[in-house]
């Protein structure tokens, strides 16, 4: 028998904390669908973040209903035990074992969902469910909701309404508990070790794919189940593609390589970017521009503390990067003019960062009542300024064309300020050069 990944009391605590937010409602979550790659081969499976957050259950083909204050409060529909399928695909908890292993009140086979769910939902006013993500799931929910409404009949209850649970679960996930912070720290530390391993392995001629393999090898050897997102190993002018996906070119001496890679550890992800020279030595020009971006990145991190907003940090990043663009001859005119007319976006087209957690671009609102929300202790975010000069930008100084630099760290907001969870990954020029010089 497999064991739950982490202590299941965490999931009960989360449900208890959130129960009052659902009022006289019920939450219905579906596990992530499986996606066929070809014939009988599936893409690697990863549980839906909200499903895992509320249950700890990692199997596909499962549905969870949470009815705070009612009995049963938690119901899990799971795939049945099946000796033949388990011979091919591995262990399933099944109805008997799932309840006890995950602390769930009632379990059924997933095929019973359409019969059993309406009986559970007829007692609630509101169903919290995320529609329009998957049409098969929508169809099942449509059938269940229709039956539920007919069961409610003349009960005197209003028409059952459906609401998105994002504002409840997404907001809860944004502010990390002590357990989540420890897990995030581990994910970030493993991610940093993966970057160190890639810096050590980097050499002229090596393929970007081989470097991605070094990252995967390092993080998996430390207990990471997978990358938190598709690793980007972008050498030369590919670094100007923000989410470069090919990772199939040889790395050339004299070029920089931009690597954006994060490990996922127990469902929490790191998200680090480092940019460094393929041959281990920055040229004078690379060092000059890199150090300007690094100085800006460090200043932006130093701003972070409770009460500050992401919008304010982003605005400062625009100011600093636009100054660099003008100094380097990429833009003409004043800083303010280039900000007002959005010219800076040609070389800095993205935001300063995003929430980080179970998903690399994690859940949680960025604005509340139309205003940027202030940071609170327990939130995690990335700070990732970048400067990208397209290779075919004839208006840019020739020596800068094809240069892409991004430096990204993962920051935890603490009661008094912040903690950089990814500081172990070298980013000072001297640190990088001395690490890469070691045999
Ligand atoms: N790794 C994706 C990002 O930095 O947003
Ligand atoms: Mn990021
Ligand atoms: Mn990233």
């Amino acid at each position: 028998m497999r064991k739950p990944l982490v202590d299941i009391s965490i999931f009960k605590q989360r449900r208890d904390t959130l129960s009052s937010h659902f009022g006289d409602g019920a939450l219905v979550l579906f596990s992530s669908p499986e996606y066929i790659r070809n014939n009988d081969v599936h893409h690697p499976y990863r549980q839906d973040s909200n499903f895992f957050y509320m249950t700890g259950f990692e199997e596909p083909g499962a549905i969870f209903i949470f009815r705070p204050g009612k009995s049963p409060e938690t119901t899990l529909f799971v795939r049945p035990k099946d000796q033949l399928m388990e011979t091919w695909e591995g262990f399933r908890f099944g109805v008997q074992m799932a309840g006890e292993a995950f602390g769930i009140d009632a379990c059924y086979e997933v095929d019973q969902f359409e019969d059993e769910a309406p009986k559970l939902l007829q007692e609630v006013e509101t169903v919290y469910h995320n529609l329009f993500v998957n049409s098969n799931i929508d169809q099942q929910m449509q059938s269940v909701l229709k039956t539920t409404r007919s069961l409610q009949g003349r009960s005197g209850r209003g028409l059952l309404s459906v609401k998105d649970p994002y504002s409840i679960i997404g907001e809860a996930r944004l502010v990390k508990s002590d357990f989540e912070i420890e897990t995030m720290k581990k994910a970030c530390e493993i991610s940093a070790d993966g970057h160190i391993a890639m810096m050590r392995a980097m050499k002229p001629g090596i393929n970007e794919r081989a470097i991605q393999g070094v990252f995967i090898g390092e993080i998996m050897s430390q207990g990471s189940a997978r990358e938190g997102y598709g690793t980007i190993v972008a050498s030369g002018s590919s670094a100007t593609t923000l989410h470069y996906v090919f990772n199939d070119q040889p790395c050339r001496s004299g070029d920089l390589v931009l690597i954006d890679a994060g490990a996922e550890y127990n469902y929490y992800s790191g998200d680090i970017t480092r940019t460094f020279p393929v041959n281990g030595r920055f040229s004078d020009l690379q060092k000059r521009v890199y150090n300007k971006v690094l100085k800006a990145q460090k200043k932006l991190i130093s701003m972070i503390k409770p009460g500050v907003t992401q919008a304010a940090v982003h605005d400062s990043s625009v100011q600093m990067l636009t100054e660099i663009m003008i100094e380097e001859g990429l833009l003409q005119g004043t800083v303010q003019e280039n900000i007002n007319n959005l010219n800076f976006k040609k070389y800095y087209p993205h935001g300063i960062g995003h929430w980080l957690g179970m998903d690399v671009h994690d859940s949680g609102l960025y604005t509340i009542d139309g205003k940027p929300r202030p940071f609170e202790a327990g939130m995690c975010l990335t700070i990732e300024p970048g400067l990208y000069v397209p290779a075919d930008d004839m208006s840019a100084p020739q020596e800068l064309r094809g240069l892409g630099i991004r430096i990204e760290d993962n920051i935890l907001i603490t009661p008094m300020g912040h903690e950089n969870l990814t500081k172990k990954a070298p980013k000072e020029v001297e640190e990088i050069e001395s690490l890469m010089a070691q045999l």
Side-chain angles (χ1 to χ4, degrees), residues 229-230 232 243 260-261 271 273 354 360-361 382 384 406 408:
Y229 52 91
I232 297 165
H243 285 173
D260 186 342
D271 180 11
T273 307
H354 47 84
V360 61
H361 294 172
T382 67
E384 48 181 309
R406 178 164 69 249
E408 176 175 26

Side-chain angles (χ1 to χ4, degrees), residues 20 79 84 91 123 145 149 183 228 331 364 419:
S20 64
R79 300 177 306 181
L84 179 65
F91 175 79
E123 292 173 30
L145 291 171
R149 281 180 180 166
T183 313
L331 296 177
E419 181 178 345

Side-chain angles (χ1 to χ4, degrees), residues 62-233:
I63 307 168
F64 175 62
I65 299 186
F66 179 42
R67 306 185 312 156
K70 297 195 165 56
S71 179
E73 186 167 73
T74 50
T75 305
L76 193 59
F77 297 86
V78 300
R79 300 177 306 181
K81 293 293 285 178
D82 181 327
Q83 201 177 15
L84 179 65
M85 289 309 293
E86 290 182 62
T87 300
W88 283 96
E89 295 179 351
F91 175 79
R92 296 176 173 191
F93 277 94
V95 171
Q96 305 302 330
M97 276 186 268
E100 197 186 328
F102 292 89
I104 299 289
D105 300 332
C107 285
Y108 297 93
E109 290 190 6
V110 69
D111 283 352
Q112 294 171 273
F113 175 68
E114 291 190 27
D115 289 334
E116 296 299 326
K119 296 181 206 161
L120 297 166
L121 298 181
Q122 68 172 322
E123 292 173 30
V124 306
E125 302 273 353
T126 308
V127 172
Y128 288 85
H129 173 72
N130 189 7
L131 285 165
F132 312 129
V133 175
N134 178 291
S135 56
N136 292 336
I137 292 176
D138 288 350
Q139 266 179 16
Q140 275 182 285
M141 278 307 287
Q142 189 177 340
S143 154
V144 162
L145 291 171
K146 268 176 136 171
T147 313
T148 306
R149 281 180 180 166
S150 70
L151 282 180
Q152 284 180 327
R154 298 196 180 109
S155 65
R157 290 177 181 275
L159 205 58
L160 189 67
S161 62
V162 181
K163 283 192 185 161
D164 195 309
Y166 185 89
S167 63
I168 300 175
I169 307 178
E171 286 294 284
R173 281 175 44 193
L174 175 57
V175 181
K176 273 70 179 171
S177 66
D178 290 348
F179 163 79
E180 290 180 290
I181 289 170
E182 285 314 305
T183 313
M184 286 290 306
K185 284 184 176 172
K186 180 84 174 163
C188 289
E189 192 184 325
I190 295 175
S191 303
D193 286 339
H195 277 262
I196 291 169
M198 289 189 286
M199 284 178 190
R200 285 191 201 282
M202 179 55 72
K203 59 184 179 189
I206 196 166
N207 197 279
E208 294 165 347
R209 183 79 66 213
I211 293 296
Q212 181 178 7
V214 169
F215 183 72
I216 293 172
E218 178 63 32
I219 64 169
M220 287 197 169
S221 74
Q222 293 200 46
S224 169
R226 56 186 82 84
E227 299 152 287
Y229 52 91
T231 292
I232 297 165
V233 183

Side-chain angles (χ1 to χ4, degrees), residues 1-19:
M1 174 171 143
R2 283 172 66 83
K3 286 204 185 99
L5 193 62
V6 293
D7 178 355
I8 60 157
S9 66
I10 284 159
F11 306 106
K12 166 109 174 73
Q13 272 169 29
R14 286 178 182 164
R15 295 193 293 265
D16 288 348
T17 306
L18 289 186
S19 60

